[in-house]
Amino acid sequence: MSEEELERIISYEQLEVAGASAAQRKESFHYLTLQARHPTGAGFLSGRVNLNTASRPFWISLTATYNLRNPGNPLTQYVSVGRQIADAMTNGPFATVTDFQNGQLLDDALPSMVTPAVFVQTLQDLLTTRSDTFRIRAYGDAINPADAAVAGATPEAVAYCEAIVQRTNQDDPLGNGKKFVITYFRWLGPDDI
């Protein structure tokens, strides 16, 4: 897929039509959207991405963005740096962007001419540590009531579904924090599990 084709992608689903492999689509699912948004104050803040990902394409693109924003002090091996950050992310999530900046991960991944503080300050307006969009998968089955007491009874029906939900700035009607809305829903078949 060319850079020009990628610029025209406006939804995750278009990646399949554009020829992205299943592995590429799966890896991109949580951060590739038309507009990454999360609630802040009375509105939404657009364009931020959750830094707590071990996706190599994500980190390679962020290190390339760093180079575009800081041409006076670029990462000469930005692909290698992006891979190193992604691979180190398996050690656990960061609670804040400041924790990310002050942790050992960036010290180990960045070359000596780029400090973690400069790297984070250059990308500060893009980074967050919380996602407000979630993919939830659910499973349900039904056993015949006549077989309820039978050990190992097999279900007569099973169903799998997937929903994408997004936290909004609206208060939950029951007073339990913020309201979530379903932005996408589908039933899953055996090939989707």
Side-chain angles (χ1 to χ4, degrees), residues 32-53:
L32 181 60
T33 60
L34 172 61
Q35 190 174 42
R37 310 183 315 159
H38 69 273
T40 181
F44 285 102
L45 185 60
S46 297
R48 291 217 172 171
V49 291
N50 184 5
L51 64 83
N52 286 312
T53 179

Side-chain angles (χ1 to χ4, degrees), residues 171-192:
D171 289 329
D172 176 61
L174 301 175
N176 298 319
K178 297 297 182 182
K179 179 180 176 183
F180 286 81
V181 296
I182 297 173
T183 61
Y184 176 80
F185 179 87
R186 70 177 177 140
W187 292 105
L188 301 175
D191 294 336
D192 298 317

Side-chain angles (χ1 to χ4, degrees), residues 11-32:
S11 74
Y12 174 80
E13 289 78 14
Q14 287 180 321
L15 285 175
E16 184 173 6
V17 177
S21 70
Q24 289 169 324
R25 292 191 313 270
K26 183 177 181 181
E27 188 164 19
S28 303
F29 186 84
H30 290 289
Y31 66 86
L32 181 60

